[in-house]
Amino acid sequence: MSEPIAASGNVHWAGTGLSSGSGLAELAGAARRVTLWGRSVAKAERRLADLGLSGRVAAADIAGLPVAVGPGDVVISMLPATEHAALLRLCLDRGAHFACTSYVSPELAAADGPARAGGLVVLTEAGLDPGIDHLFAHDLVARARKAVGDGPASVRFTSFCGGVPAEPNDFRYRFSWAPRGVLSALGSPARSIEKGEPRTVERPWEAVTEYDLDGEVFEVYPNRDSVPFVAQYDFPDGWRPETFVRGTLRLGGWREAWRDVFAVVRDGGPADLDALATELAARYPMRPGDRDRVVLAVELDVTTGSGSWSGRYLLDAVGDEHETAMARTVSLPLAYGVLEILAGSTPAGLHRALADPAAAGRGLTFLRGRGLDCALSTPDRTGEI
């Protein structure tokens, strides 16, 4: 492992969107200096006022960020994923560490070698999903390996996450971020493992199934490519995944409520999707006073020839008058990752959510201490080892 260059204590948080929440406050109390960079100083100041951080965090125009970053600083990109690469190049040029909550893109992956050589940390997938889901998965796998070992076993793994209205509406959803991104995700194929074999669905909504979570019935469907995460979650060679799905969770009735949306995603062109996104943003926004809800459930079942082990992590959070559940659950794990960088605990190079078992345990302790109920259940089962 490469030793990182010492963190300077300066943190640059780029982006003033709705996911900038409690995590920013955590860093304000720990870093030497924190600056919130917005599209204008006024926009950054308004966001700080909303968060009760005026006077504790500096506000600045993001146009000035390139000249402000120095060696050992930490740059956090809460900008759209398409803008991460430019900020990462800035960090590599200036000898600064980088953090974001997005999935690893080819541009981010390519920075692993240069970051290691330069003693820099590149932290990715450090939010909710991806992020907390990784912590849950690594902890469950470590517990199962301790219980049943690494020998031959049949495995079922599911990880479902969604942001939904705390009070359901007829559309079964409200938009807290750009609808165009939601529609684009629906139009992307998804790959998972079913009955022991990889399975690809071109239209994820055609693979919706019901998901009973302690008596409440949701609807879930696969997204992106789940298969590489079998290795990322350190499944032993002896474990055979019969089911391995990472996917999206929605309220019951969502598939029926979105039937007309699916038709446009399937048959429409870019202009049709843009028009639909504008319409949906106007009809179903997250309004002042609305409360959101975040549900993340990660389950692992391992069966051997002599017994079995099962475990589940459940995070079920509701927003309040001070902060949305989404902002809390995205920004707090990000802050934990940045605090580890500031402490010099993270080796140089590319990392996903600091998700080795030891780091996962520390991260879960941190989140619980900030009011996120990461509930672990390992129900007794006949023949359990």
Side-chain angles (χ1 to χ4, degrees):
M1 292 289 187
S2 304
E3 291 296 322
I5 66 171
S8 66
N10 292 331
V11 175
H12 306 275
W13 185 295
T16 58
L18 294 178
S19 293
S20 299
S22 297
L24 187 57
E26 286 287 335
L27 296 175
R32 184 166 68 87
R33 176 180 174 83
V34 179
T35 303
L36 177 63
W37 298 86
R39 298 299 181 188
S40 68
V41 174
K43 188 169 185 177
E45 288 176 338
R46 286 195 298 271
R47 187 63 183 143
L48 291 175
D50 291 341
L51 295 171
L53 294 175
S54 299
R56 296 180 59 197
V57 173
D61 188 316
I62 200 166
L65 178 60
V67 298
V69 175
D73 290 359
V74 181
V75 176
I76 300 169
S77 179
M78 296 298 282
L79 302 175
T82 53
E83 300 187 43
H84 292 338
L87 283 184
L88 179 53
R89 287 193 297 271
L90 172 66
C91 290
L92 295 175
D93 289 343
R94 297 295 180 87
H97 307 290
F98 174 86
C100 71
T101 61
S102 299
Y103 282 100
V104 174
S105 65
E107 293 84 359
L108 297 184
D112 183 41
R116 289 177 185 274
L120 303 176
V121 177
V122 177
L123 176 63
T124 65
E125 301 184 12
L128 167 64
D129 177 4
I132 298 178
D133 57 339
H134 293 343
L135 304 185
F136 286 174
H138 277 277
D139 189 75
L140 289 173
V141 169
R143 290 174 183 272
R145 294 179 71 172
K146 183 177 181 181
V148 304
D150 294 354
S154 174
V155 180
R156 181 181 185 276
F157 175 90
T158 61
S159 178
F160 295 115
C161 183
V164 299
E167 295 184 6
N169 59 352
D170 60 333
F171 194 56
R172 320 305 284 171
Y173 195 82
R174 289 195 180 279
F175 291 93
S176 58
W177 64 297
R180 190 62 171 86
V182 178
L183 300 180
S184 296
L186 280 175
S188 301
R191 184 168 174 251
S192 58
I193 295 176
E194 297 289 351
K195 297 181 180 179
E197 298 294 335
R199 177 196 180 201
T200 299
V201 293
E202 295 300 322
R203 303 183 181 108
W205 70 82
E206 295 178 353
V208 170
T209 58
E210 290 189 342
Y211 181 60
D212 189 315
L213 197 56
D214 297 338
E216 184 175 3
V217 179
F218 295 91
E219 293 179 353
V220 295
Y221 58 92
N223 62 26
R224 294 180 176 265
D225 186 356
S226 298
V227 177
F229 290 89
V230 174
Q232 185 173 320
Y233 291 161
D234 296 325
F235 276 31
D237 292 339
W239 288 12
R240 174 179 169 80
E242 293 294 334
T243 298
F244 191 98
V245 183
R246 299 178 74 256
T248 299
L249 177 146
R250 296 289 182 244
L251 293 173
W254 172 83
R255 176 169 49 180
E256 180 61 30
W258 280 53
R259 187 176 298 276
D260 292 341
V261 173
F262 302 150
V264 177
V265 174
R266 181 185 62 239
D267 302 325
D272 300 307
L273 292 177
D274 290 342
L276 178 59
T278 300
E279 176 190 347
L280 294 177
R283 292 179 63 186
Y284 304 108
M286 184 67 71
R287 305 162 305 187
D290 285 336
R291 299 287 179 262
D292 70 325
R293 178 186 181 192
V294 165
V295 179
L296 168 61
V298 180
E299 299 188 58
L300 177 66
D301 296 275
V302 182
T303 302
T304 71
S306 57
S308 61
W309 184 92
S310 67
R312 184 192 76 184
Y313 267 106
L314 175 63
L315 171 62
D316 191 345
V318 176
D320 56 31
E321 64 272 19
H322 302 295
E323 185 178 23
T324 66
M326 188 62 69
R328 189 181 315 134
T329 55
V330 170
S331 67
L332 279 173
L334 175 62
Y336 163 73
V338 173
L339 289 172
E340 292 277 285
I341 296 173
L342 293 174
S345 302
T346 309
L350 179 74
H351 300 271
R352 293 174 169 89
L354 305 181
D356 64 84
R362 295 194 304 270
L364 292 173
T365 298
F366 174 90
L367 295 175
R368 287 174 174 136
R370 274 71 181 172
L372 291 183
D373 184 14
C374 303
L376 170 66
S377 57
T378 54
D380 291 334
R381 297 178 62 178
T382 302
E384 181 178 3
I385 294 175

